[in-house]
Structure formats: structure tokens, C-alpha cells
Amino acid sequence: MSEVEQALVRAADAARLAPSIHNTQPWRWVVRADRLELFAVAERQLRAQDPDARMLLISCGAALHHARVALDAEGWAHTVERVGSLAPDAPLAVITPGERRTAEAEATRHLQMLQVRRTDRRTVRDEAVPEDVLDQLVKAAEQAGARLHVLGRDQVLELAVAVERAQAAEAADDRARAELATWVGGERPEGTGIPSSALPAEMPLTTVAERDFQTAGTVEAGAGHDRSATYAVLYGTGDAEPDWLRGGESLSRLWLAATEHAVTVLPFSGPVEVPFTRDALRRMLGGAGVPYLALRLGLQDPARTAPPHTPRLPATQVIRVED
Ligand SMILES: Cc1cc2nc3c(=O)[nH]c(=O)nc-3n(C[C@H](O)[C@H](O)[C@H](O)COP(=O)(O)O)c2cc1C
């Protein structure tokens, strides 16, 4: 295998650690002599909760960004073509490597961060995320193509209502409930889904309710509250497949930057999955764009042990090297 192919394999391997809706990891990679192709995996789409594949594409966008971080960290210049097509034989995106250059310091740090990043559903510390850090996260999201709207106090209450309504709508939907039971809970030895070890033992007391996964976990959520948390909506101007892919790249970009600043990120996708609450979020953006995800940003007590990482599919199942 050539030097560049080996770098592409390492990039696809780093992308395995990307966050994804219910840890479905709905991506696969094909390494070719001169490029890396990203494909969506339709069998791992949540048909009931995510019929448009919005969350699938946001997840694939996060994986795309992770792969790019790995290439930047090794100093491989590259270009990206975003097709965004869900057709089984057409790639979602194609990364074409170019010249070798000096590795980017930020990418080197972010490559480390993508190994420690995780979804943290514990309550956050009673101390707000500093303004200058928030500004950096807003910029980080923008650099990757989407925007971050930080919610004011009144809007946090509106978000709480939207989250609750979305939760009720999904809880009343038999197909969505069955889907949740398929992907969440237990030990997940097959390498996908959310194990109990990543979920709170009890629903924490919060203004904005965390997603009710309908199964108790083993994580001590903590006695805190979300009073000091910052809530935000990740959004963009377009509402089609390539835009959601970009949204995922922004999610990854801001999450890695947040991890560097010890800020935990908790996505709330329920209110974007359900059409009428998605409209409510869109109104909250005041015409600035369309919502991709709501996020909780908060500080975690470094003295507390973080929950274990969620499992991942083996590389052999998601990366294929073409001769
Ligand atoms: C598009 C998207 C939507 C998500 N929605 C939620 C959510 O509503 N509630 C939640 O607790 N976690 C949510 N997550 C976090 C995933 O469950 C998490 O990324 C996955 O289980 C892998 O775990 P890790 O992030 O700790 O690696 C979401 C992640 C993505 C990328």
C-alpha cells in the first residue's frame, strides 16, 4: 500500500470514533489509490425517528470531519467534494489528498481530542461556560460551514417545551419506541448502539429534559442541575442532504474544540426529528436558518470519572481498501 493510501486508511479509522445518532455509525469508507470515499449505510438509518436521513447525514458529516482532522494532523493537504447523495452506489463525499505539508498544530490537538471526546449525559457543574470559550465555539462551528445560535433564558424555556413535546410524540409512536429498544441499552457486544454504561441511572433534574431512552443506565448523573448550562441550536441556511452533511462537520469541529476547553456537549435531536417541534426551533432562529441539532454545553467536574466510551464497529466492517 502506498504512503497516501496508508494515510487514508488511518483517516477512515479515526472517523470510527465520530459521534452518531444512537451510535448507529451509518457510514462506510472505500480507500482508493488516489482518494477516500464516504458512503451512507441505509441499513443503519433510523427509519421511524429519522425518515429523511437528516441525523444520518449529520452523523456522516461528523465522521467526514474526523477523517479530515486526521489528514491535517499528518500534514496531508486535501480537497473535499460533497455530493450528499444517499444512492447506495454514489459516495456522500470524496476526499482527494494533495501535497504533503507541515502538520497543523490545531489538527494535531484535535486528533487527540477525538480520542477522548464522548457524549456526557451527567449533570454539569454549577459554573457557566466562559464567554470567550463560547465565542470560540461559535467560530469553530462557522469555520466548518454551519452556525451556532446561543439561546437566551426565555428561549431555553421554549427549547424545554419543544424537547418535551418531541419526546411525547416519539413515545407515542410504536415504531420509534421499537427502534429505540433495538439500538439502546444492554452491553452492545456487536459494536453499535448505546450501552447502559453510557446512560444515566436516573433522569437528572434539569430544565431541559434529557432524551428518555426508555431504559435505565448505570451512570451516576450527579446531584447538579443544568442551571449553569448553555443551550444552543446548530443551524444552517439549507435544508437538504449536503447541508446536513455540513451540519455534521460543524458539530464535530465545535465538539473537538469544546473538548479542548473541557466543555461537554450533549446533542438533543428529538426536537429536530419531529416536524412540528422542528418548526418551533426554526421560529426560535427568527428566520436566520433551519435547525440541525439543539446542544447543551456545560462544564464537568474533572475530579469525577467520565463514563466509559461507547463501542465501535471493527475497522474491517467499515473500511474497504480497493486495489
Ligand atoms: C446527529 C446526532 C444526534 C444525537 N442525538 C442525541 C440525543 O438526542 N440524545 C443524546 O443523549 N445523545 C444524542 N447523540 C449522541 C449519540 O448518542 C452519541 O454520539 C453516540 O451514542 C456515540 O457515543 P459517543 O458520542 O460518546 O462517542 C446524538 C449524536 C448525533 C451525532
Side-chain angles (χ1 to χ4, degrees):
M1 216 189 289
S2 70
E3 203 191 356
V4 69
E5 280 174 288
Q6 289 175 34
L8 295 177
V9 170
R10 282 193 294 276
D13 195 45
R16 289 168 55 236
L17 301 179
S20 60
I21 180 78
H22 297 0
N23 201 22
T24 47
Q25 304 156 61
W27 53 71
R28 64 184 178 87
W29 296 92
V30 176
V31 178
R32 299 191 187 273
D34 59 349
R35 63 192 189 277
L36 179 60
E37 296 174 341
L38 168 65
F39 291 83
V41 176
E43 305 86 80
R44 291 204 289 277
Q45 178 182 352
L46 303 176
R47 298 272 166 193
Q49 287 168 78
D50 187 29
D52 303 332
R54 199 181 255 99
M55 295 304 149
L56 176 147
L57 280 155
I58 293 176
S59 305
C60 289
L64 175 60
H65 180 260
H66 271 47
R68 298 192 62 196
V69 167
L71 289 173
D72 283 334
E74 288 194 26
W76 287 99
H78 58 271
T79 54
V80 183
E81 186 196 349
R82 293 170 187 80
V83 186
S85 156
L86 286 165
D89 50 353
L92 280 179
V94 181
I95 300 179
T96 306
E99 294 294 302
R100 201 82 195 263
R101 59 185 180 195
T102 318
E104 290 175 18
E106 184 186 77
T108 308
R109 294 196 311 272
H110 284 181
L111 184 63
Q112 286 163 4
M113 290 305 120
L114 67 79
Q115 287 159 53
V116 294
R117 182 214 59 81
R118 73 191 83 207
T119 302
D120 198 333
R121 301 179 179 87
R122 296 174 298 168
T123 52
V124 295
R125 233 164 61 195
D126 209 4
E127 189 186 325
V129 177
E131 282 293 328
D132 62 319
V133 174
L134 271 184
D135 288 346
Q136 289 184 48
L137 300 185
V138 169
K139 280 199 194 95
E142 275 177 17
Q143 278 162 2
R147 299 272 170 82
L148 193 67
H149 171 72
V150 176
L151 303 185
R153 223 181 151 66
D154 289 351
Q155 286 199 319
V156 172
L157 299 179
E158 280 182 58
L159 174 67
V161 173
V163 165
E164 206 177 298
R165 290 193 174 148
Q167 181 74 54
E170 290 190 333
D173 179 339
D174 290 346
R175 285 178 62 234
R177 275 211 316 275
E179 210 166 58
L180 212 53
T182 305
W183 288 99
V184 181
E187 291 191 358
R188 322 301 312 177
E190 70 283 16
T192 54
I194 310 179
S196 311
S197 58
L199 298 173
E202 281 167 17
M203 282 297 257
L205 277 177
T206 51
T207 311
V208 182
E210 288 190 17
R211 189 192 273 270
D212 180 359
F213 285 100
Q214 295 176 16
T215 176
T218 56
V219 175
E220 280 306 322
H225 197 269
D226 61 346
R227 263 184 300 265
S228 302
T230 299
Y231 284 89
V233 176
L234 183 72
Y235 72 98
T237 47
D239 205 14
E241 285 81 359
D243 306 306
W244 303 331
L245 198 65
R246 283 264 191 199
E249 291 175 71
S250 275
L251 173 69
S252 167
R253 178 86 175 70
L254 90 87
W255 205 332
L256 297 179
T259 309
E260 225 184 330
H261 292 285
V263 172
T264 65
V265 176
L266 177 58
F268 287 72
S269 48
V272 180
E273 287 156 12
V274 175
F276 73 91
T277 50
R278 185 162 70 238
D279 285 346
L281 255 57
R282 190 175 185 153
R283 284 194 295 277
M284 281 164 66
L285 294 171
V290 287
Y292 300 151
L293 269 186
L295 302 173
R296 183 189 77 181
L297 307 168
L299 297 175
Q300 197 36 261
D301 183 350
R304 291 171 70 202
T305 314
H309 284 284
T310 49
R312 288 298 185 272
L313 286 166
T316 47
Q317 217 171 310
V318 287
I319 306 169
R320 199 180 81 216
V321 181
E322 282 285 308
D323 294 328

